[in-house]
Each structure stands twice: as C-alpha cells, then as structure tokens.
Amino acid sequence: MGALIEIRNLVRQYVMGGQIIRALNGVNLEIQRGEFVAIMGPSGSGKSTCMNMIGCLDKPTSGSYVIDGNDVSQLTEDQLAELRNRKIGFVFQNFNLLPRTTALENVELPMMYAGVPARERRRRAVEALERVGLGERLHNRPNELSGGQQQRVSIARALVNRPALILADEPTGALDSQTTEDILKLFEELHQQGNTIVIVTHEDEVGQHAHRIVRFRDGKVESDLPTDRAREVEPV
Ligand SMILES: Nc1ncnc2c1ncn2[C@@H]1O[C@H](COP(=O)(O)OP(=O)(O)O)[C@@H](O)[C@H]1O
Ligand SMILES: [Mg+2]
C-alpha cells in the first residue's frame, strides 16, 4: 500500500486583476497512514490552499494529488464530495456546529449524508461523544457548551465516519491556552489510537505537539522535519 497522501509537483494558481498568483508553486509531500503532521508557515505562504487541496475542497492547476489511491484530478464534483464524506474528518477553528442542534445531532449529521441507519447513527454518535469526554453533554446545544466542549463535539463529528484522515485548520485558534492544551492532548490520544492527523497552525507550541512539521514559504515546502516528540516515542 502506498502513502495515504501523495502530492507531486502541485501548483495552484489564482488569477487576480490580470496577475497570476501561485499560492502553491511546486509542492511535493507524502504523508503515511498513522502520522501526526503540523503544516506551518507565515501568513500567505500557502497553508490554507494546501489544506483545501488535502481536504479535496479544491483541485490543482497542475501536478497531482492522490489520497488513499484516488487521483483527485480524475474525480467529478459528486465523487469528490463522497470522498470527503467517507475519508476525511474536518475540524475548524470556529467549530462549525449547527447552532440549534444538540451535540448528538451535530455528530450524527455526517452519518446521515453517508446513509447510516438511525439506530446505528445514534449508537456511534454516543460512542464518539463519550470518547471525547462529553458523555454527559449529549443533549446540550452549542450555546450551552464552552469553546473547548464545542471543539470536542466537532472532533467527535470528525471521527464518527471513521475517516482515513483527520484534517484540522487552526483547531485551537479560538481557545484559551489551558483549553488548547486539553484539545492537543485529545489529538495525541487519537494519534496513539492509530488515527492520521494533519493540523494547520501558525503557533509553534501547537506545532510541537505533532511528530512532524512541514513548513511552507512562498507556496513551497521550505522544511520538513520530525519534532522532539517524534524522537521521544520513536527512539532511533
Ligand atoms: N481565492 C484566492 N484568490 C486569489 N488569491 C488567493 C486566493 N486564496 C489564496 N490566495 C493567495 O495565495 C497565497 C497563499 O494564500 P493562503 O494559502 O491562504 O496562505 P496561508 O493560509 O498560509 O496564509 C496568498 O498570496 C493569497 O493572497
Ligand atoms: Mg490560512
């Protein structure tokens, strides 16, 4: 089996006011199953564009992207939507929960799109919420939960279709420092349980929780290095 993610010579350009902007300018990146990777870099370096590519929300201008054996450039919009739903769990900075909907219902939503029967949906949503420590908050709506709890709901929602990849864009950007630590600890547990996790962050402390940091600059990978954490658990 190849890498989970294989990006080759990827270019994504935008045309704005007659000017060509190369948001990604020849990116090569492989991510194996079971890795915990942070994508970092200054503002405007291409992190979000790369995250949109990895998340199959966008297609390359040139070059290739293969996820779990699927060549993204060959897929229709419908096929892309299905691939996103089945293979990728998204976590966002602002949680993106439905406001008038309970934690349980928010977590059930991706399974509704995936056609999971009601009883099974309920069972798996409860299990996912228990896994993130919210077994006592199943029936609360987002405005009855703290920021950290809301992010836990969104992580439960990301997990519930058992995705090949959890993709998190600045997942601690809206949280205080203690809650940030708690959420990063949760990501570490999920990683230890075998999940593949990619987080985008501009904060060094956050990046250091991953096992590998891919740093972007000017639309290219500037460096790609293991963190101290990788050396702690994977002695050479
Ligand atoms: N939709 C777009 N249209 C035009 N230019 C864009 C668009 N999205 C991003 N860019 C440009 O591409 C470059 C990379 O942006 P982005 O991927 O958002 O960087 P980052 O997330 O690292 O801040 C920037 O110069 C940005 O202005
Ligand atoms: Mg960005």
Side-chain angles (χ1 to χ4, degrees):
M1 217 167 13
L4 176 63
I5 286 170
E6 294 174 340
I7 291 173
R8 299 257 179 274
N9 299 321
L10 193 140
V11 173
R12 176 65 169 100
Q13 62 186 33
Y14 298 103
V15 181
M16 230 179 35
Q19 260 207 332
I20 294 175
I21 297 163
R22 292 210 155 181
L24 296 176
N25 190 13
V27 170
N28 290 289
L29 180 62
E30 267 192 21
I31 296 176
Q32 308 296 327
R33 288 173 184 78
E35 280 201 89
F36 184 5
V37 180
I39 292 178
M40 300 196 66
S43 174
S45 60
K47 301 184 297 295
S48 293
T49 306
C50 187
M51 148 110 191
N52 289 343
M53 287 293 161
I54 292 175
C56 302
L57 296 159
D58 192 12
K59 286 185 183 184
T61 305
S62 66
S64 77
Y65 172 34
V66 176
I67 175 167
D68 208 12
N70 301 277
D71 183 343
V72 167
S73 64
Q74 303 299 313
L75 302 179
T76 64
E77 285 303 318
D78 283 353
Q79 287 170 325
L80 275 181
E82 201 202 321
L83 188 147
R84 278 197 299 275
N85 189 259
R86 268 191 304 122
K87 294 199 187 287
I88 305 170
F90 291 92
V91 177
F92 302 95
Q93 177 169 357
N94 294 312
F95 327 131
N96 289 18
L97 300 174
L98 294 182
R100 270 176 273 284
T101 305
T102 66
L104 203 50
E105 290 160 344
N106 267 286
V107 176
E108 282 188 44
L109 202 62
M111 293 186 286
M112 294 183 70
Y113 296 135
V116 178
R119 188 188 288 250
E120 168 82 356
R121 267 196 328 252
R122 184 53 51 110
R123 191 186 64 70
R124 276 165 58 181
V126 171
E127 187 184 280
L129 282 161
E130 284 173 347
R131 189 162 169 197
V132 300
L134 286 182
E136 311 289 300
R137 289 280 183 272
L138 304 177
H139 303 289
N140 288 85
R141 291 176 188 8
N143 67 356
E144 301 165 337
L145 299 170
S146 71
Q149 288 171 332
Q150 290 183 60
Q151 194 57 302
R152 284 173 191 271
V153 174
S154 102
I155 292 169
R157 180 182 58 186
L159 285 171
V160 82
N161 275 343
R162 303 184 190 112
L165 173 67
I166 296 170
L167 193 51
D169 192 7
E170 302 278 2
T172 60
L175 304 175
D176 63 52
S177 58
Q178 181 54 54
T179 312
T180 292
E181 280 302 309
D182 295 343
I183 292 294
L184 290 170
K185 221 173 261 163
L186 176 58
F187 277 118
E188 278 171 43
E189 283 168 29
L190 296 173
H191 171 238
Q192 278 160 18
Q193 291 160 6
N195 289 287
T196 310
I197 302 173
V198 175
I199 65 177
V200 177
T201 180
H202 65 277
E203 291 176 88
D204 271 310
E205 307 90 89
V206 174
Q208 287 302 328
H209 283 260
H211 288 220
R212 171 181 170 196
I213 295 180
V214 177
R215 224 173 264 280
F216 277 76
R217 181 174 293 275
D218 299 333
K220 290 189 164 141
V221 175
E222 176 189 52
S223 67
D224 184 346
L225 294 166
T227 62
D228 291 344
R229 203 159 290 255
R231 284 184 281 273
E232 275 165 34
V233 273
E234 294 147 24
V236 277

